[in-house]
């Protein structure tokens, strides 16, 4: 069998942007360096796919032994079908030099049903597009499909005891949508093959398609001439693409009379005049709400796609760590406390007890974007109702230190339109920095914690220390920013 020209992935690249497909085929060396976070998402998706096989147990696996053996996989699938197999995992098909593999192929009452597994909690438009290609290739290669469905995670399923595979997944037929897409698929395949045959790089410009529906892995190449700092996308509330289409890239290029809505207009004004906006009256009033003792508090969370613990749902935010700085009175020394789960067991009940013990019964709890912490606590209340009263009273004591920055009572040009603590801290407290830490943002903390149990004891000890340092800086940063606001 001759090697394929397009696969399901490369077809999807071509649908997103023909240049992405061209670069993937002919200039793969221009691809962005591999991203650890993306790899982890990919590994999580593979894990969901393997678990979903249990919906149709006892199948034959037609997976290729390596990425160069897909043609063997097509042959194996053909043999399995002819040999009477009724469930085939990674069934591979090829038609007109287009190859695709399907997660699960099932024969029921002499009819064939296709199932594609996705690690998300909804059926996204791009899933219809890639399933349409699968349907096109499978049916044109000679296998009639009775139906084609997306298998995806049911975020209303709460695990209690062993994983209930049937409850964990939703299965939606997309047969009708896929049939509607068949002529599009045929035309798109012809268009992409013709582009590849000509071996001429498409002149496609950058655009919203660079991150929709997926982040393109050639962005560093295509965006290399775009200004890194103070570009039009640093303006808040999204006027970027309109500005780009009007011919601007850098903030300096935007004419004085260009019409912008109030938030980006304010940001641009302060970028130009370099002045800091400070509304002392509003800040004083806000700080007046704070009641001692002050508890500067921050959670770190994980969101496992497949629930690992009882009383958790797919992608539920599960706090595994907190940092707490306490200032008991104006003159009191700052105290620090921390909690970090063991990376193996469900951390939540111990974390709840530590929180209740340390946060006391009165005083303001200071957070940054405190609605996130409140939502996490509401999740804990739902899963651990016996702590409802204490946790609800904790949730009544929050003050959100992000508010003065979000409300533009304090705005510095170097905030670049953002009220994130990562932008505010270097301006307000330049001597404190995340740059010196091994873990510098929440996504990495989450990834490190999720992988902790598979590390050696030595690595675990190092990474636990890194997690504690990172979370501690989050609350120390809040203390210092609060002090700076007070000094105003
Ligand atoms: S970065 Fe954008 S323009 Fe470049 S290949 Fe990717 S999607 Fe296409």
């Amino acid at each position: 069998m001759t090697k394929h020209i397009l696969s399901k992935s490369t077809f999807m690249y071509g649908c997103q942007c023909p240049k992405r497909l061209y670069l993937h085929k002919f200039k793969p060396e221009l691809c962005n360096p591999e991203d650890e976070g993306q790899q982890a998402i990919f590994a999580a998706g593979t894990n969901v796919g393997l678990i979903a096989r249990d919906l149709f147990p006892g199948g034959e696996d037609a997976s290729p032994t390596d990425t160069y053996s897909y043609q063997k996989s097509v042959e194996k699938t053909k043999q399995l079908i002819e040999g009477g197999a009724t469930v085939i995992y990674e069934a591979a098909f090829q038609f007109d030099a287009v190859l695709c593999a399907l997660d699960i192929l099932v024969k029921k009452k002499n009819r064939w049903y296709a199932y594609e597994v996705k690690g998300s909690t909804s059926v996204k438009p791009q899933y219809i597009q890639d399933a349409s290609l699968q349907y096109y290739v499978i049916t044109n290669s000679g296998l009639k499909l009775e139906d084609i469905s997306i298998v995806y995670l049911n975020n209303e399923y709460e695990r209690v005891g062993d994983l209930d595979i049937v409850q964990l997944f939703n299965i939606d037929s997309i047969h009708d949508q896929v049939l509607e897409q068949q002529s599009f698929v045929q035309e798109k395949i012809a268009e992409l093959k013709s582009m590849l045959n000509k071996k001429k790089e498409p002149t496609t410009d950058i655009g919203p398609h660079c991150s929709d529906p997926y982040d393109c892995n050639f962005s560093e190449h295509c965006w290399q001439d775009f200004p890194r700092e103070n570009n039009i996308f640093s303006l808040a509330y999204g006027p970027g693409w309109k500005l780009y289409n009007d011919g601007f890239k850098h903030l300096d290029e935007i004419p004085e009379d260009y019409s912008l809505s109030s938030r980006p207009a304010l940001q641009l004004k302060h970028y130009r005049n370099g002045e800091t906006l400070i509304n002392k009256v509003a800040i004083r009033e806000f700080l007046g709400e704070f009641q001692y003792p002050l508890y500067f508090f921050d959670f770190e969370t994980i969101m496992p796609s497949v629930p690992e613990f009882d009383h958790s749902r797919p992608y539920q935010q599960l706090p595994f760590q907190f940092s707490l700085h306490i200032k008991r009175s104006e003159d009191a020394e700052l105290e620090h406390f921390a909690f970090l789960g063991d990376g193996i067991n469900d951390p939540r009940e111990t974390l709840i007890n530590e929180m209740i013990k340390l946060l006391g019964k009165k005083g303001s709890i200071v957070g940054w974007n405190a609605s996130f912490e409140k939502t996490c606590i509401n999740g804990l209340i739902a899963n651990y109702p016996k702590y409802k009263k204490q946790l609800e009273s904790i949730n009544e004591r929050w003050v959100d230190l992000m508010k003065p920055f979000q409300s533009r009572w304090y705005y510095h040009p170097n905030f670049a339109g953002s009220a994130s603590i990562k932008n505010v801290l270097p301006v307000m407290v330049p001597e404190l920095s995340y740059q010196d830490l091994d873990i510098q943002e929440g996504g990495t903390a989450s990834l490190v914690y999720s992988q902790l149990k598979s590390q050696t004891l030595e690595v675990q000890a190092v990474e636990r220390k890194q997690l504690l340092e990172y979370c501690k800086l989050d609350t120390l940063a809040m203390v210092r920013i609060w002090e700076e606001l007070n000094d105003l």
Side-chain angles (χ1 to χ4, degrees):
M1 187 183 295
T2 51
K3 192 166 169 7
H4 59 279
I5 297 169
L6 285 171
S7 66
K8 189 181 74 162
S9 309
T10 54
F11 173 79
M12 291 301 285
Y13 292 166
C15 288
Q16 179 174 359
C17 169
K19 190 172 173 184
R20 180 176 187 184
L21 172 59
Y22 175 90
L23 294 173
H24 174 84
K25 284 275 183 189
F26 300 116
K27 296 185 179 175
E29 69 282 3
L30 298 179
C31 186
N32 298 350
E34 287 207 347
D35 177 333
E36 214 181 311
Q38 282 300 327
Q39 280 179 346
I41 292 170
F42 184 71
T46 307
N47 184 34
V48 172
L50 292 176
I51 292 171
R53 288 182 179 185
D54 286 348
L55 288 166
F56 306 96
E60 305 275 358
D61 194 348
S63 299
T65 45
D66 58 64
T67 45
Y68 304 102
S69 306
Y70 270 104
Q71 266 66 34
K72 282 189 198 152
S73 206
V74 174
E75 289 298 335
K76 187 174 177 186
T77 303
K78 192 162 174 274
Q79 286 162 10
L80 287 169
I81 291 172
E82 287 168 359
T86 53
V87 177
I88 305 172
Y89 308 131
E90 292 299 316
F93 297 86
Q94 188 162 314
F95 171 70
D96 198 14
V98 184
L99 177 132
C100 75
L102 175 81
D103 287 326
I104 308 171
L105 181 67
V106 179
K107 193 178 188 183
K108 292 182 262 185
K109 294 186 183 160
N110 234 13
R111 291 165 198 263
W112 287 100
Y113 295 80
Y115 298 92
E116 185 65 8
V117 182
K118 301 292 179 189
S120 74
T121 56
S122 63
V123 178
K124 296 179 181 164
Q126 60 268 33
Y127 301 164
I128 309 287
Q129 206 167 49
D130 79 24
S132 297
L133 178 85
Q134 288 171 316
Y135 187 91
Y136 178 84
V137 173
I138 295 171
T139 53
N140 280 299
S141 63
L143 190 79
K144 187 176 182 307
L145 286 179
E146 189 65 19
D147 198 1
I148 182 163
S149 303
I150 300 290
V151 179
Y152 61 101
L153 291 163
N154 167 19
N155 59 0
E156 288 176 12
Y157 163 63
E158 183 175 316
R159 179 174 185 163
V160 181
D162 289 342
L163 209 51
D164 182 337
I165 303 294
V166 175
Q167 293 297 320
L168 175 64
F169 291 104
N170 287 322
I171 303 178
D172 283 3
S173 168
I174 49 162
H175 193 233
D176 292 347
Q177 295 102 301
V178 159
L179 287 182
E180 280 170 21
Q181 293 279 315
Q182 291 307 289
S183 38
F184 163 80
V185 170
Q186 189 175 18
E187 285 158 24
K188 198 74 186 172
I189 290 172
E191 181 191 315
L192 296 175
K193 278 187 184 170
S194 154
M195 185 271 289
L196 291 174
N197 277 337
K198 285 181 196 147
K199 294 192 177 172
K200 189 168 176 287
E201 184 168 337
T203 52
T204 320
D205 195 7
I206 58 168
H209 55 269
C210 295
S211 54
D212 182 21
Y214 303 106
D215 285 334
C216 176
N217 51 354
F218 288 95
S219 55
E220 289 192 9
H221 167 66
C222 294
W223 288 69
Q224 61 188 319
D225 296 330
F226 206 84
R228 296 260 159 187
E229 289 185 349
N230 299 318
N231 65 48
I232 49 173
F233 294 103
S234 66
L235 283 183
Y237 294 85
W241 285 117
K242 181 170 183 316
L243 283 159
Y244 184 75
N245 292 333
D246 287 341
F248 313 118
K249 290 183 182 170
H250 196 280
L251 296 185
D252 290 343
E253 297 165 3
I254 305 173
E256 292 280 344
D257 59 353
Y258 192 90
S259 169
L260 286 166
S261 59
S262 60
R263 289 295 180 104
L266 179 86
Q267 186 185 336
L268 188 58
K269 180 180 152 197
H270 285 272
Y271 166 74
R272 283 182 176 136
N273 65 23
E275 287 171 9
T276 305
L277 174 75
I278 304 176
N279 181 341
K280 288 191 184 178
V281 176
I283 292 171
R284 189 180 303 126
E285 209 170 291
F286 169 72
L287 293 175
E289 292 170 20
F290 287 49
Q291 288 176 12
Y292 285 102
L294 300 180
Y295 300 91
F296 296 84
F297 188 91
D298 183 61
F299 277 136
E300 298 303 327
T301 60
I302 46 170
M303 294 170 66
S305 52
V306 176
E308 289 173 23
F309 308 120
D310 276 2
H311 303 294
S312 66
R313 288 174 282 105
Y315 292 109
Q316 184 179 344
Q317 298 270 12
L318 305 178
F320 64 85
Q321 176 178 14
F322 68 72
S323 169
L324 170 66
H325 275 94
I326 305 180
K327 182 102 174 142
R328 297 195 189 274
S329 67
E330 209 173 328
D331 306 321
E333 289 289 314
L334 196 60
E335 298 168 48
H336 181 251
F337 301 89
F339 171 85
L340 176 59
D342 63 7
I344 300 165
N345 299 297
D346 188 344
R348 288 174 297 170
E349 193 157 8
T350 323
L351 173 142
I352 291 171
N353 281 303
E354 284 296 298
M355 273 173 63
I356 291 172
K357 185 177 83 190
L358 291 167
L359 289 173
K361 290 196 166 56
K362 63 180 176 61
S364 300
I365 305 173
V366 187
W368 195 282
N369 189 21
S371 60
F372 175 77
E373 268 72 24
K374 275 190 192 180
T375 306
C376 288
I377 291 176
N378 284 333
L380 295 173
I381 293 170
N383 298 136
Y384 296 88
K386 66 178 173 177
Y387 299 104
K388 186 173 190 277
K389 217 168 132 218
Q390 295 103 309
L391 291 174
E392 275 181 348
S393 87
I394 286 175
N395 253 358
E396 284 163 10
R397 292 161 51 200
W398 286 98
V399 283
D400 194 342
L401 193 59
M402 186 168 79
K403 195 172 174 187
F405 305 96
Q406 204 171 34
S407 307
R408 302 293 193 261
W409 298 333
Y410 193 117
Y411 183 73
H412 187 283
N414 289 355
F415 291 170
S418 167
S420 156
I421 198 164
K422 305 286 187 298
N423 287 44
V424 172
L425 185 68
V427 174
M428 303 277 295
V429 194
E431 64 277 15
L432 265 193
S433 170
Y434 288 88
Q435 301 298 325
D436 308 327
L437 297 182
D438 293 286
I439 296 173
Q440 299 181 1
E441 45 89 37
T444 313
S446 188
L447 187 62
V448 167
Y449 184 78
S450 305
Q451 296 173 347
L452 210 54
K453 56 180 169 288
S454 51
Q455 308 288 14
T456 62
L457 288 177
E458 288 80 11
V459 175
Q460 280 187 25
V462 172
E463 292 189 337
R464 289 181 66 81
K465 194 163 165 272
Q466 293 170 349
L467 284 165
L468 288 165
E469 280 170 358
Y470 167 69
C471 199
K472 183 179 181 182
L473 184 56
D474 270 342
T475 50
L476 184 61
M478 281 196 272
V479 175
R480 298 288 178 242
I481 291 169
W482 168 77
E483 287 170 350
E484 289 297 316
L485 288 179
N486 271 307
D487 285 350
L488 288 175

